[in-house]
Amino acid sequence: MVGAQLRDTAQELAAVLWREHTVYRERSGGMVIRGEHVRRWISLAPAGGRDEILVRAGRILDGGTTAPARSEAVVPLSAGTGVLAATCRRLLADAAADAARPAPDREAAGRPGGSRKSRKS
């Protein structure tokens, strides 16, 4: 029952968010909405509560792979498409803002990957 309702909700939501989209089921039973033209994705999955879904958003990288979700929210499934769409737009804006931030310098962040000579000397 929840799976069919989640699928129907994802189809309705996809039509509201983007004219061009792909909707498919994940192995875990959740639904994914991909907007290739905007390089973003939305995931809907059952959450802890009976009437709650976990909404996650992220970017589509070069080559079509997906970056991990950068933001998420729990929304009542009964909230309706309008509330879900507003939540998705906020999460997508968060994901876009994260993409616009410059990546930290590896050495400045203390991550491995710098010159080995400079570490040994």
Side-chain angles (χ1 to χ4, degrees):
M1 176 75 174
V2 172
Q5 188 176 10
L6 195 58
R7 183 185 65 240
D8 293 344
T9 300
Q11 292 286 353
E12 290 174 23
L13 185 58
V16 170
L17 292 174
W18 301 308
R19 279 187 273 185
E20 299 174 34
H21 57 268
T22 303
V23 179
Y24 61 91
R25 182 177 302 281
E26 292 180 296
R27 287 184 215 155
S28 63
M31 299 299 295
V32 176
I33 306 166
R34 286 177 67 108
E36 298 287 341
H37 64 295
V38 292
R39 300 177 56 129
R40 300 285 182 264
W41 61 266
I42 293 285
S43 169
L44 307 175
R50 206 168 127 187
D51 181 43
E52 295 178 328
I53 57 173
L54 176 64
V55 181
R56 299 175 13 189
R59 297 180 301 127
I60 299 173
L61 305 174
D62 292 339
T65 60
T66 57
R70 298 300 297 186
S71 52
E72 60 184 43
V74 176
V75 180
L77 189 54
S78 60
T81 307
V83 172
L84 275 170
T87 301
C88 289
R89 287 183 181 112
R90 180 178 52 82
L91 296 176
L92 290 165
D94 290 348
D98 281 349
R101 290 188 191 112
D105 183 32
R106 284 182 171 254
E107 288 190 39
R111 294 185 186 159
S115 171
R116 290 181 187 254
K117 290 180 182 178
S118 63
R119 286 191 196 148
K120 290 182 179 179
S121 50

